Amino acid sequence: GAGVSQSPSNKVTEKGKDVELRCDPISGHTALYWYRQRLGQGLEFLIYFQGNSAPDKSGLPSDRFSAERTGESVSTLTIQRTQQEDSAVYLCASSHTSGRAGTQYFGPGTRLTVL
Amino acid sequence: QQQVKQSPQSLIVQKGGISIINCAYENTAFDYFPWYQQFPGKGPALLIAIRPDVSEKKEGRFTISFNKSAKQFSLHIMDSQPGDSATYFCAASMRSSGTYKYIFGTGTRLKVLA
């Protein structure tokens, strides 16, 4: 079946611009996660959504970052007034919490470059 | 308490050798320990995972060893192949408010020489 998809695959933007990244999770997966991966670094948790519950935003680095998810479908991660330090790969993952320990399935990521 | 420490940062192994990557955690609430494999330009993919009620899990050439008392776990890749060259992440997960929170290690870049 279809996996997690993300768009765009690459995004180059100028400092100060807003960007919107999209994630399409696997159908039926109730949990959705966003991570940031800086070059050569590990995965940094940003936010997760679980069904219709309030999202856990504890990983968002600043108020320039926000995310939305409609029900159990598409999610968008928005970064306002981008800064050069926002340059990274943004990964989305989804999981079915009734499955094997909520195994996460990752998308290919969006590579964001802020000039 | 939420950190997962991973070592080494990079590893070079000869073809046919054994690759060993280690991770350590602090929070005893973690109850699921997956390993992910990531190739350049791709998202991480689940490789193998273990729960703390067993000390070892083997799938093909990949084995997780788990030491609950020491709060450590490791990935062993037997008969390492050039195709195994990738970045490996350990993670620790706990159930929280109906879902699973994951803390990832910083990754190990493995290169297997032909």
Side-chain angles (χ1 to χ4, degrees):
Chain A
V4 177
S5 61
Q6 292 185 245
S7 61
S9 55
N10 282 284
K11 177 71 177 178
V12 180
T13 190
E14 293 179 348
K15 178 182 174 180
K17 301 282 189 183
D18 298 351
V19 295
E20 193 172 275
L21 313 180
R22 177 187 169 108
C23 172
D24 284 84
I26 293 173
S27 177
H29 280 192
T30 57
L32 186 148
Y33 305 75
W34 283 99
Y35 295 91
R36 179 169 68 180
Q37 185 176 30
R38 290 196 166 111
L39 185 65
Q41 302 295 312
L43 279 70
E44 177 186 359
F45 166 76
L46 296 177
I47 186 171
Y48 76 62
F49 298 88
Q50 170 57 41
N52 293 317
S53 302
D56 179 344
K57 304 179 181 180
S58 60
L60 294 178
S62 77
D63 59 7
R64 297 186 295 105
F65 288 72
S66 62
E68 292 184 349
R69 186 184 188 194
T70 305
E72 296 180 356
S73 61
V74 172
S75 175
T76 55
L77 176 69
T78 301
I79 309 173
Q80 296 179 308
R81 305 181 302 281
T82 52
Q83 304 295 312
Q84 289 184 332
E85 62 262 29
D86 299 334
S87 296
V89 174
Y90 289 83
L91 291 161
C92 172
S94 70
S95 72
H96 193 319
T97 54
S98 65
R100 189 182 68 180
T103 301
Q104 295 184 94
Y105 296 88
F106 283 85
T110 293
R111 181 176 299 276
L112 175 65
T113 303
V114 182
L115 302 176
Chain B
Q1 258 208 336
Q2 295 285 7
Q3 281 188 325
V4 175
K5 296 182 180 179
Q6 183 171 349
S7 62
Q9 192 172 34
S10 62
L11 182 61
I12 299 175
V13 174
Q14 294 287 339
K15 179 182 176 181
I18 302 174
S19 304
I20 302 175
I21 305 170
N22 301 297
C23 283
Y25 63 98
E26 292 290 329
N27 193 335
T28 55
F30 290 130
D31 61 1
Y32 180 67
F33 301 88
W35 284 89
Y36 288 83
Q37 181 187 54
Q38 185 179 31
F39 292 106
K42 305 290 186 183
L46 179 66
L47 187 61
I48 186 172
I50 197 168
R51 292 188 177 278
D53 53 348
V54 297
S55 60
E56 186 176 282
K57 183 173 182 181
K58 184 176 180 179
E59 290 184 2
R61 296 184 294 109
F62 300 92
T63 299
I64 299 179
S65 296
F66 187 86
N67 186 329
K68 188 174 182 177
S69 60
K71 292 186 280 188
Q72 295 176 347
F73 59 110
S74 60
L75 175 69
H76 296 234
I77 305 174
M78 312 300 288
D79 187 27
S80 299
Q81 299 296 313
D84 297 330
S85 297
T87 299
Y88 292 81
F89 293 95
C90 63
S93 176
M94 70 174 102
R95 191 175 176 90
S96 174
S97 302
T99 190
Y100 294 89
K101 299 198 73 169
Y102 287 77
I103 306 297
F104 283 82
T106 50
T108 296
R109 185 170 294 185
L110 171 66
K111 184 173 179 64
V112 181
L113 301 176

